Amino acid sequence: MVISELKSFPGGYQLKTKVYWAIFTGLLLATTVFGYWDWSQRQYFQQSTWIIIAIGGLLTVLAGITAYYPHHLMSKVSHALLQRDGLLDNNLTLVSFNGKATAQQFQQRFSEFNRGNYSREIKELFKGSYQGDEYSFDYHYYHFHYVDERIVTETYTDSNGRVRTRTRREYDHYDRYGLILPFGLLRNFVVIGFNLPGAGKATYKPASNRFNRVFKVIAASQIEAAKAMKPTVVVAFEELSNVLSKINFEVNDAADLCLSFADKDLIATPNKVNISEFDAFIEALEGEQEFEKLRATLSHVHYVMTKLDSNF
Amino acid sequence: MTGIWITVGIAVVLVIAIIAIYNAIINRANAVERAWANVITQERQKNKIIPHLEDVVKDYKEFEQGTLTKVTELRSALQGLDSGKVDTAKLEQAEAKTGELLKSLNVTVENYPELKASETYQKLMREITDQQENIGAAIRIFNQNVEDFNNGIEVFPNSLVNAMLNRKEKIKTFSDSQAEEGFEYKPNI
């Protein structure tokens, strides 16, 4: 429906901003040439010259904004449409939520959200579903924003020349992203690739140097960890660390998984085409967009599930 | 006096560096041994599957003659594996025997459609595939650790420390296309 409306728009999507660009270029050249000529006459600017240059500069900026802004707006709209289309193609639907309350709920379920001494908030929440060969599951994709407050002490010299100290508060902003889903198969099991608040020492170290350089494993017991961290699972985590950065794989006592990471482009449209290239844009909308990183991450979760469920 | 302190300082730094390199080589060697033991543990898991395989095929005459001989050969190859000594030739032999057994199973089972369709057989084959994947992954981990170890004794100045103190030799990685094929998980994009 959106596509047919786009196609039926009579005006076309080519922006006619050539006149504004010409005015912008003309004004820029005229102001510069006039300023140069006036300076070469007296080696200084008269008050009237300053006024002319200021007006010329202002008009140049206005012409520039008028010429550029429609392009900017069109890129923004194109990106928003493609992004929305990508979400639909990947069966992701926006969930209505309260950012702070949801962060608090998640914090009660997973240590991952126990970050930020000043504030914690969920910025985005989408619901999706995954159909694997052996397992199918619903999941939530989230964007978590947290802020750390720290007090900085600095020294300064006052008007009387005395050295004094003063403190001020600084706020560091951070973002984490992740997937939450019912996992089953394990409980209280964590593979840590990025500082997890409250996590203790590793309970098990697999044989892989590459794995141990990136991750540590915490489970209820060493035997449980050894049983879960089969060679296939270990190598799968090594591979996942090539796809995502700062990974934490946390299964809580309710057997729910929170797979968190620092990558913000899991559900970002890979398409950069603009609506002004109309045919290519429509082709992109009509085609299937694949969020490859999301697919790789979900396939990792599915793979680990299949490897953990085999009990002969 | 300052000159003496500088000399002592340099000597102390040198000794600390040598100890660190020496320990790093030992750590990498231990990691290789651990990864090897892991491969052997995974190989020996086959011993758990073999009795189930024998149970499933015992009522089929053709299996008893051909396949069960291969089962015995595989058992014998598995017994030859030593988790304390890296011996890639014996591992290669065990993997070859596994390959022969699986090939024989796949060919012979075609004559017994009811066996091929049975849930027990399907489950058994899934388990064998899973096991082969784990062996493939364990071999990959072993090869990664061997690469780490070999780099650790070959780069300078580690090569000097190794020649004087550790005296470890380069280890061969295990190369077996069949075992590598067993592990197919490649999520890289």
Side-chain angles (χ1 to χ4, degrees), chain A residues 90 243 265-266 268 270 290-297, chain B residues 187 189:
Chain A
N90 289 274
V243 178
D265 55 350
L266 249 76
E290 193 175 24
F291 293 156
E292 288 187 357
K293 265 186 156 180
L294 177 69
R295 180 192 49 76
T297 309
Chain B
I189 55 171

Side-chain angles (χ1 to χ4, degrees), chain B residues 26-37:
Chain B
I26 298 287
N27 282 339
R28 288 193 187 109
N30 289 343
V32 170
E33 277 175 26
R34 206 160 153 231
W36 174 255

Side-chain angles (χ1 to χ4, degrees), chain A residues 65-111:
Chain A
I65 291 170
T66 314
Y68 168 75
Y69 189 66
H71 290 279
H72 169 73
L73 206 61
M74 203 168 237
S75 294
K76 214 171 154 184
V77 170
S78 307
H79 182 266
L81 282 170
L82 286 167
Q83 180 63 36
R84 185 67 65 86
D85 177 63
L87 293 173
L88 287 171
D89 285 348
N90 289 274
N91 298 319
L92 284 159
T93 48
L94 196 64
V95 176
S96 64
F97 64 100
N98 176 306
K100 289 194 172 160
T102 310
Q104 204 173 0
Q105 283 167 17
F106 285 171
Q107 193 185 357
Q108 283 162 5
R109 293 168 63 196
F110 300 103
S111 306

Side-chain angles (χ1 to χ4, degrees), chain A residues 205-210 213 230-232 234-236 238-239 242-243 292-293 295-296 300 303 307 310 312, chain B residues 31 34-35 38 42 48-49 52 124 127 130 133-134 137-138 140-141 144-145 148 183 185 187-189:
Chain A
K205 235 176 151 182
S208 168
N209 287 346
R210 196 172 289 180
R213 274 196 286 267
K230 295 170 184 176
T232 42
V234 169
V235 176
E238 288 175 12
E239 293 287 351
N242 294 330
V243 178
E292 288 187 357
K293 265 186 156 180
R295 180 192 49 76
H300 166 82
Y303 182 81
K307 292 300 126 193
S310 58
F312 195 71
Chain B
R34 206 160 153 231
N38 200 20
Q42 293 300 326
K48 281 187 186 172
I49 302 173
H52 294 277
L124 189 67
E127 192 59 34
D130 187 56
E133 273 192 51
N134 269 313
R140 184 166 148 176
I141 291 168
Q144 284 170 191
N145 287 7
D148 270 359
F183 182 73
Y185 180 72
N188 267 3
I189 55 171

Side-chain angles (χ1 to χ4, degrees), chain A residues 99-100 103-104 106-107 110-124 142-150 170-178 194-197 245-246 248 260-263:
Chain A
K100 289 194 172 160
Q104 204 173 0
F106 285 171
Q107 193 185 357
F110 300 103
S111 306
E112 169 63 26
F113 297 93
N114 204 5
R115 304 176 189 275
N117 60 15
Y118 183 73
S119 71
R120 289 164 290 277
E121 192 182 355
I122 296 295
K123 291 268 192 188
E124 281 182 306
Y142 68 82
H143 168 194
F144 173 53
H145 179 80
Y146 64 96
V147 181
D148 275 334
E149 181 188 66
R150 60 192 163 92
E170 283 209 349
Y171 298 92
D172 301 316
H173 293 253
Y174 302 97
D175 293 280
R176 297 272 294 161
Y177 306 83
F194 175 66
N195 163 46
L196 188 71
S245 55
K246 297 180 178 173
N248 280 333
S260 54
F261 37 82
D263 304 59

